[in-house]
Amino acid sequence: MSAASRAPLRSNRTNRTAERSTERTADARARNRAARAAVGAAAAALLVSACSSGGTSGGGGQTGFITGSDGIATAKKGQRADAPELSGETVDGGQVDVADYKGKVVVLNVWGSWCPPCRAEAKNFEKVYQDVKDQGVQFVGINTRDTSTGPARAFEKDYGVTYPSLYDPAGRLMLRFEKGTLNPQAVPSTLIIDREGKVAARTLQALSEEKLRKMLAPYLVDDGKPEK
């Protein structure tokens, strides 16, 4: 066979090889897109399940606290975990360090402007805050998953929220709580930090004014003992 007749054969083989390579690349891209879509769907499902008025409490392997029928979990003195470092920039551009409130009861509320249950409970929190702030109580929010502070500031204005909220779009502050303790696991979540800086109570649901007052009441005194 002459060189001239062999040339088209080589060309055909080259073309088939290029086509197979192109097909493999396209298949790989399709698989990557499918994987990314699956991850996105899972994240969306988690977001929807977390941002609900019901919420869940407890969890596998978690000990040292008791969850009541009202969904409020509490830990006794001596079994409470230290609150982690919670500090940084606030929604309005200020600075807050929760450790500065040691000696006060801190009501810590995790919220997002995109979360309907958070909107439902916002006025309840502000009303209770105004009633108890002179009793050695400080409310602090953790705003999460808002990609900018604009919607969060609008939320605070719409609902008249006057206490500060740390801006935590990626949820890093929530991850500082130890697993197996009364850590926030949903949006909204509300925690009570006692006067010694330890996490005393938690709920993973939106709160009515009545339920928030009930959750807070035991810590307005020192676990039943009058403050000195």
Side-chain angles (χ1 to χ4, degrees):
M1 184 180 292
S2 66
S5 63
R6 288 195 300 270
L9 294 176
R10 288 196 297 270
S11 177
N12 288 339
R13 285 197 296 270
T14 300
N15 289 339
R16 286 195 295 271
T17 300
E19 288 172 0
R20 286 195 293 270
S21 177
T22 300
E23 290 172 356
R24 286 195 295 270
T25 301
D27 288 344
R29 289 174 178 170
R31 287 193 296 270
N32 288 339
R33 285 195 295 270
R36 288 195 297 269
V39 171
L46 176 62
L47 182 62
V48 171
S49 64
C51 185
S52 64
S53 59
T56 58
S57 60
Q62 295 187 342
T63 59
F65 57 88
I66 299 171
T67 303
S69 58
D70 55 6
I72 298 173
T74 58
K76 295 180 180 179
K77 276 194 167 184
Q79 297 179 326
R80 298 172 185 171
D82 291 329
E85 179 188 354
L86 300 169
S87 62
E89 186 173 351
T90 60
V91 164
D92 61 3
Q95 292 286 325
V96 159
D97 186 343
V98 172
D100 291 341
Y101 300 125
K102 191 170 182 179
K104 292 187 175 184
V105 176
V106 176
V107 178
L108 192 70
N109 178 242
V110 181
W111 63 277
S113 68
W114 44 268
C115 171
C118 301
R119 293 194 289 270
E121 70 177 5
K123 288 187 176 180
N124 301 331
F125 274 72
E126 178 61 25
K127 188 173 191 305
V128 175
Y129 172 59
Q130 292 299 328
D131 288 346
V132 301
K133 64 181 182 180
D134 293 332
Q135 300 178 46
V137 180
Q138 177 64 50
F139 279 38
V140 178
I142 297 180
N143 170 259
T144 189
R145 299 181 193 168
D146 274 312
T147 56
S148 69
T149 57
R153 289 197 304 270
F155 178 102
E156 291 185 334
K157 181 178 179 181
D158 289 345
Y159 294 100
V161 176
T162 60
Y163 53 84
S165 282
L166 290 160
Y167 181 55
D168 184 34
R172 292 188 177 93
L173 294 179
M174 295 173 68
L175 295 176
R176 293 182 181 178
F177 289 83
E178 293 182 19
K179 292 182 179 179
T181 65
L182 293 174
N183 56 320
Q185 299 174 1
V187 183
S189 290
T190 300
L191 281 67
I192 303 292
I193 300 175
D194 68 19
R195 299 183 191 277
E196 297 177 358
K198 297 180 181 294
V199 183
R202 178 198 67 187
T203 189
L204 307 177
Q205 58 186 320
L207 292 175
S208 65
E209 180 186 339
E210 179 183 5
K211 187 170 282 190
L212 176 57
R213 291 184 188 278
K214 177 183 177 182
M215 183 179 181
L216 177 60
Y219 309 101
L220 296 181
V221 292
D222 189 15
D223 282 6
K225 297 178 182 179
E227 294 178 45
K228 293 180 180 181

